[in-house]
DNA sequence: TTAAGTGCAAAATCTTTGCAAATGT
DNA sequence: ACATTTGCAAAGATTTTGCACTTAA
């Protein structure tokens, strides 16, 4: 999926600034979600840490990014599908969190429908699998 | 499920101390998971904040509690099923995180089997549904 | 008796807030 | 020109570490 930062910003009524474009570029760069600490490391010279917080929050609220929490409570971000909006995140695919390299993948696997007990109304469902990813399992068997 | 703190501690090679027993009691009290800040509020007079950190970590490592992260990166804890161990958490039920009262329920609903892409090996799968819980939907319709 | 656990003080991180200067429309 | 956004400083919160004192086995 090709992404065009400037277009995305316009679509969501956000001014296009150097910093905002850089954040989107960096996140779109890889198909896996990127953690906030990683982003900080990569963009630390160009963007103030506080600004990064604000940009990520704005993006999440607008439905540009979705946030995935890992087991350590660290936020990871990935680009939303185009159908996401302020009101609803269509993030109905399975995430895979590698316990070795810590990367979070957005898998091309849908989350199965789940029957809720009476009285409970679900608006979103998140599924994350934990284990060893493709790359890490190759590396390990190589040793 | 009746829980017996002293027995649980013995089973996992942990000395039984006043503080550890209190933590287990407090968590077992309710069927929903409890957040660490809530625990701090309830036990703050009896247990030092640092000790609470250490106890919760020990419990999670030993497989006595399982940790569920909410959207804010806050840790929530619930008692594991008796089959959980150091090596593996059998936490294969769906969690429900109420976006109104923020409570996390352990639902009596199993997580469906999910087919992983080639190369990815999952050892655990977590599913969390977000929405309005039983109690909150009753309260809302009452208004 | 002694190894493990607790509390306190303090360091290290992480996150939020306020405000003046810079920037995009 | 004007409303937003940014960076810096500083406050607040969370999490970790070190160490002397206490406690369970």
């Amino acid at each position: 999926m090709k992404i065009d930062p400037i277009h995305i910003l316009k679509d969501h009524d956000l001014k296009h600034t150097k910093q905002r474009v850089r954040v989107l570029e960096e996140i779109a760069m890889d198909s896996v979600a990127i953690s906030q600490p990683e982003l900080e490391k990569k963009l630390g010279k160009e963007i103030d840490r506080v600004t990064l917080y604000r940009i990520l929050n704005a993006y999440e609220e607008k439905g540009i990014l979705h946030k995935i929490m890992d087991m350590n409570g660290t936020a990871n971000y990935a680009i939303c599908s185009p159908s996401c909006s302020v009101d609803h995140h269509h993030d109905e695919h399975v995430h895979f969190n590698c316990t070795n390299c810590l990367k979070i993948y957005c898998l091309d696997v849908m989350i199965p429908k789940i029957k809720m007990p009476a009285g409970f109304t679900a608006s979103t469902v998140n599924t994350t699998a934990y284990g060893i990813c493709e790359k890490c399992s190759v590396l390990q068997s190589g040793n």
Side-chain angles (χ1 to χ4, degrees), chain A:
Chain A
M1 188 224 310
K2 205 65 189 310
I3 75 120
D4 169 11
I6 293 165
H7 201 263
I8 292 180
L9 290 171
K10 228 170 218 152
D11 279 357
H12 292 86
D13 301 305
L14 291 170
K15 283 190 186 167
H16 110 92
T17 67
K18 190 167 38 108
Q19 293 86 339
R20 283 177 176 168
V21 172
R22 284 294 290 118
V23 170
L24 276 184
E25 282 174 353
E26 208 53 55
I27 293 176
M29 183 147 292
D30 206 343
S31 65
V32 307
I34 185 169
S35 71
Q36 185 159 352
E38 265 182 283
L39 274 172
E40 264 175 51
K41 229 187 311 175
K42 290 200 177 179
L43 300 173
K45 306 286 158 66
E46 311 171 52
I47 305 180
D48 185 76
R49 177 200 274 268
V50 174
T51 303
L52 184 56
Y53 271 99
R54 294 195 268 229
I55 290 177
L56 291 172
N57 283 340
Y59 283 179
E60 201 208 347
E61 275 181 10
K62 293 281 185 176
I64 296 174
L65 297 181
H66 65 260
K67 176 161 83 169
I68 308 133
M69 281 292 168
D70 66 22
M71 277 309 204
N72 303 312
T74 301
N76 293 66
Y77 294 92
I79 303 249
C80 280
S81 80
S83 59
C84 287
S85 70
V86 184
D87 307 310
H88 195 63
H89 278 258
H90 294 284
D91 181 21
E92 318 275 276
H93 55 262
V94 174
H95 291 127
F96 189 95
N97 193 351
C98 181
T99 51
N100 184 237
C101 67
L102 305 182
K103 281 206 171 66
I104 295 183
Y105 296 78
C106 295
L107 299 183
D108 198 12
V109 175
M110 287 295 115
I111 294 176
K113 279 271 167 294
I114 288 166
K115 197 177 173 314
M116 288 296 140
F120 290 79
T121 312
S123 55
T124 319
V125 179
N126 275 209
T127 295
T128 305
Y130 298 87
I132 305 296
C133 75
E134 211 179 358
K135 283 184 192 154
C136 288
S137 73
V138 170
L139 291 177
Q140 286 182 352
S141 61
N143 292 341

